Amino acid sequence: MSAISLIIIVLGVAVSIFFTFGFIRGVHNAIAAIRSTKPAGQMPENGHWASIAIVFSLSIFVIAGIGYDYRFIYAGPLLVLVTAAGTALAFFIEKRPS
């Protein structure tokens, strides 16, 4: 097994654990929000277009890069791990309903 494969596996396990705890926290927050008698707050609109454009551009770069050099094949799993970690982080950043 190559070193990069081992790194991706270890990071995958760590991100999976982080995501699971974040997801559990998000479910608890959602249940608390449903049980809350207060109306939901204003949802932000159009706040994520820059990050969507960056991730979309990176995925195009990685897919095209695989055709030029075989080592780009490892960038795909790393991008997936970064995306999952970012989603898990969003669960933790979310404010608990009061």
Side-chain angles (χ1 to χ4, degrees):
M1 182 180 305
S2 67
I4 190 72
S5 296
L6 186 61
I7 290 170
I8 289 174
I9 290 171
V10 170
L11 286 175
V13 169
V15 169
S16 296
I17 292 169
F18 183 54
F19 184 87
T20 300
F21 284 114
F23 181 77
I24 291 169
R25 184 177 189 278
V27 169
H28 286 285
N29 286 349
I31 292 170
I34 290 170
R35 291 181 178 166
S36 174
T37 57
K38 295 180 182 178
Q42 182 81 13
M43 294 297 291
E45 294 182 17
N46 302 325
H48 304 289
W49 287 107
S51 59
I52 292 170
I54 291 169
V55 171
F56 184 72
S57 301
L58 279 174
S59 65
I60 290 173
F61 177 73
V62 168
I63 291 169
I66 292 170
Y68 292 106
D69 190 3
Y70 71 94
R71 288 175 283 221
F72 273 93
I73 197 79
Y74 298 110
L78 291 174
L79 286 176
V80 169
L81 292 174
V82 168
T83 302
T87 303
L89 184 62
F91 283 127
F92 285 106
I93 291 174
E94 177 186 27
K95 295 179 182 174
R96 288 185 183 250
S98 42

